[in-house]
Amino acid sequence: MALVPAAGQGVRLAAGMPKAFVPLLGRPLLWHCVRSLQASGCIDVVVVAVGEQHREQARAAVAEAGDQVWIVTGGAHRCDSVRAALLTVPDAEVVLVHDAARCLTPISVIQAVVQAVLAGQRAVVPVLTVVDTIKQVDPDGRVVSTLDRAALRVVQTPQGFAGDLLRQAHQQPSGPVTDDAGLVEALGVPVTTLPGHPDAFKITTPFDLVLAEVLAGARAAGAG
Ligand code: C5P
């Protein structure tokens, strides 16, 4: 079971349409995302959350993926969209949450996350080490401190959860969380990590889209 929050506006991408529908090699990002989830061979149903006015567009984008892709209406924030999707799969034992914007995530990462949850990890996130030096700054941009990058990780999706834990996490009142593992952390439940992949970057800016076109083009050439 995978939930795909895709109801963002894509303001930073400035493509004039919600990010999920921006084309990559002529297909919407959402199409690529759903295809890789299905190609992993370990996801039965994919629930996609989009804005109410984009439900038909989403249905058309994933039409060839078959009837195991469900479209629901998302919410104002990412966690509202995930919650809406989660409500449609009340009995799922393993649930992945995967950003539509990370549509080039390798299948091996999706499989590894599912395997980790099946093996007993109740909350799993793919991560990368941090290559840049990270500084904390005050509202005026003055440096407050330099963080120890050896202890930092960049967090990606899909994030994998035991279904009951994710439902419990989404029932608590939450502030501005940017991922689902954050809600689990707030419950005091351990979240474990496994290796992510550079290709799982979140397409956010026009630069990212250029990068994604190059990457997807290279993959298509390699496959063909
Ligand atoms: O805004 P951000 O880049 O963190 O969004 C991550 C993912 O969450 C994107 O795939 C976006 O479509 C989705 N999202 C959503 N509902 C919102 C806001 C973002 O499904 N209200």
Side-chain angles (χ1 to χ4, degrees):
M1 200 70 68
L3 315 180
V4 177
Q9 288 306 305
V11 173
R12 291 164 292 185
L13 195 53
M17 66 182 87
K19 191 160 52 177
F21 302 111
V22 170
L24 174 65
L25 296 189
R27 303 273 202 171
L29 298 190
L30 180 61
W31 180 90
H32 291 272
C33 178
V34 169
R35 189 184 64 154
S36 62
L37 285 166
Q38 291 187 325
S40 74
C42 44
I43 301 296
D44 45 6
V45 170
V46 180
V47 187
V48 178
V50 294
E52 174 69 28
Q53 69 280 32
H54 295 112
R55 288 179 66 128
E56 283 313 311
Q57 198 178 354
R59 209 174 297 285
V62 298
E64 68 191 65
D67 59 6
Q68 292 303 83
V69 183
W70 306 347
I71 309 294
V72 302
T73 300
H77 303 284
R78 183 186 181 281
C79 62
D80 302 321
S81 299
V82 173
R83 199 172 294 129
L86 189 57
L87 283 173
T88 67
V89 288
D91 301 320
E93 289 179 9
V94 176
V95 182
L96 261 55
V97 185
H98 190 32
D99 289 338
R102 297 185 189 272
C103 65
L104 294 179
T105 301
I107 286 167
S108 59
V109 175
I110 298 168
Q111 292 168 335
V113 172
V114 172
Q115 291 307 324
V117 181
L118 289 174
Q121 308 284 355
R122 290 177 51 75
V124 185
V125 297
V127 299
L128 296 179
T129 54
V130 173
V131 293
D132 294 309
T133 296
I134 309 278
K135 294 188 190 292
Q136 187 178 355
V137 296
D138 69 14
D140 298 321
R142 273 189 295 265
V143 172
V144 175
S145 68
T146 301
L147 304 177
D148 174 15
R149 73 180 176 196
L152 298 175
R153 296 291 181 272
V154 173
V155 179
Q156 303 180 321
T157 71
Q159 301 189 346
F161 305 93
D164 58 342
L165 175 61
L166 188 61
R167 278 183 277 277
Q168 189 189 350
H170 273 277
Q171 273 161 11
Q172 63 185 340
S174 66
V177 288
T178 51
D179 75 347
D180 299 277
L183 294 172
V184 170
E185 290 156 44
L187 290 176
V189 175
V191 176
T192 56
T193 64
L194 53 70
H197 193 285
D199 292 5
F201 68 100
K202 184 167 67 175
I203 298 171
T204 306
T205 65
F207 172 82
D208 297 332
L209 195 56
V210 172
L211 193 61
E213 284 282 350
V214 172
L215 192 56
R219 278 191 193 174

